[in-house]
Amino acid sequence: MAKLGPGAGTRLVQYEGIGSVISAADNDRQWSHPWKPYLGTSALRLALGLVENRVPKIGGKPMTDVDLPLTGKPNADGESWVCVEAKTVPVAATSTTEASEELQITLVHTTSPVSRAADLGRHPVALILWREERPFRALPITYFHLRYQRVVLSTGGTRHVFV
């Protein structure tokens, strides 16, 4: 029987009575996940993330064309969030179409990751940590493209679900 030995780029650990564990680092492949934040001095760029297979907008422009300005101050704990906001707005009827609703998806910088508004759903995608009134670190929260559903409850409330 051949003796086990480590190869190039692998690690071999042998445990008495248990067996051997071989591990290797996979440095060649890096996963560039959606919503990955890249922090600048006064703005944040995010890797392309989709909501309902649509590109969110920042100030009316697609997120791929513009950075998100980090305006304002953090909360009392030195935190702020980058959030996806989903809002359903009515579209007026025309001579050829009936009245309907349109989903608007935007990215915002805010001090609260929660929205209490019935017509506005908010989902945090990155946490911004602040030090001495300057952003110094951006941490990802969301790692996948999102689906959105607005649910009107029979009790009269509204829930916004992002999955």
Side-chain angles (χ1 to χ4, degrees):
M1 178 181 243
K3 183 177 177 185
L4 253 144
T10 63
R11 181 184 324 168
L12 171 66
V13 181
Q14 294 178 329
Y15 298 98
E16 187 176 326
I18 297 175
S20 301
V21 175
I22 300 173
S23 61
D26 190 7
N27 295 332
D28 294 337
R29 287 188 260 185
Q30 290 188 1
W31 181 50
S32 180
H33 65 77
W35 311 112
K36 184 174 183 178
Y38 301 94
L39 184 62
T41 56
S42 62
L44 184 91
R45 178 168 291 259
L46 292 160
L48 177 63
L50 303 176
V51 179
E52 293 294 322
N53 295 320
R54 295 171 50 194
V55 177
K57 295 189 176 183
I58 299 172
K61 297 179 182 176
M63 70 179 283
T64 53
D65 296 345
V66 63
D67 293 346
L68 180 66
L70 298 178
T71 56
K73 305 276 184 194
N75 65 14
D77 296 324
E79 304 166 333
S80 64
W81 287 265
V82 174
C83 295
V84 170
E85 287 188 343
K87 184 174 186 172
T88 306
V89 294
V91 175
T94 64
S95 60
T96 58
T97 64
E98 294 181 19
S100 62
E101 292 182 334
E102 176 185 311
L103 182 62
Q104 290 181 346
I105 301 172
T106 58
L107 280 170
V108 297
H109 176 239
T110 180
T111 57
S112 174
V114 179
S115 169
R116 303 273 187 239
D119 65 340
L120 182 70
R122 186 179 283 171
H123 177 79
V125 294
L127 169 65
I128 311 298
L129 300 177
W130 295 67
R131 183 184 299 149
E132 298 172 5
E133 297 188 16
R134 296 187 61 136
F136 78 93
R137 189 160 186 205
L139 302 169
I141 295 174
T142 301
Y143 296 86
F144 302 99
H145 297 298
L146 297 168
R147 304 290 296 170
Y148 168 75
Q149 182 68 48
R150 180 174 170 254
V151 180
V152 178
L153 304 172
S154 60
T155 58
T158 304
R159 296 274 190 247
H160 302 274
V161 181
F162 290 88
V163 290

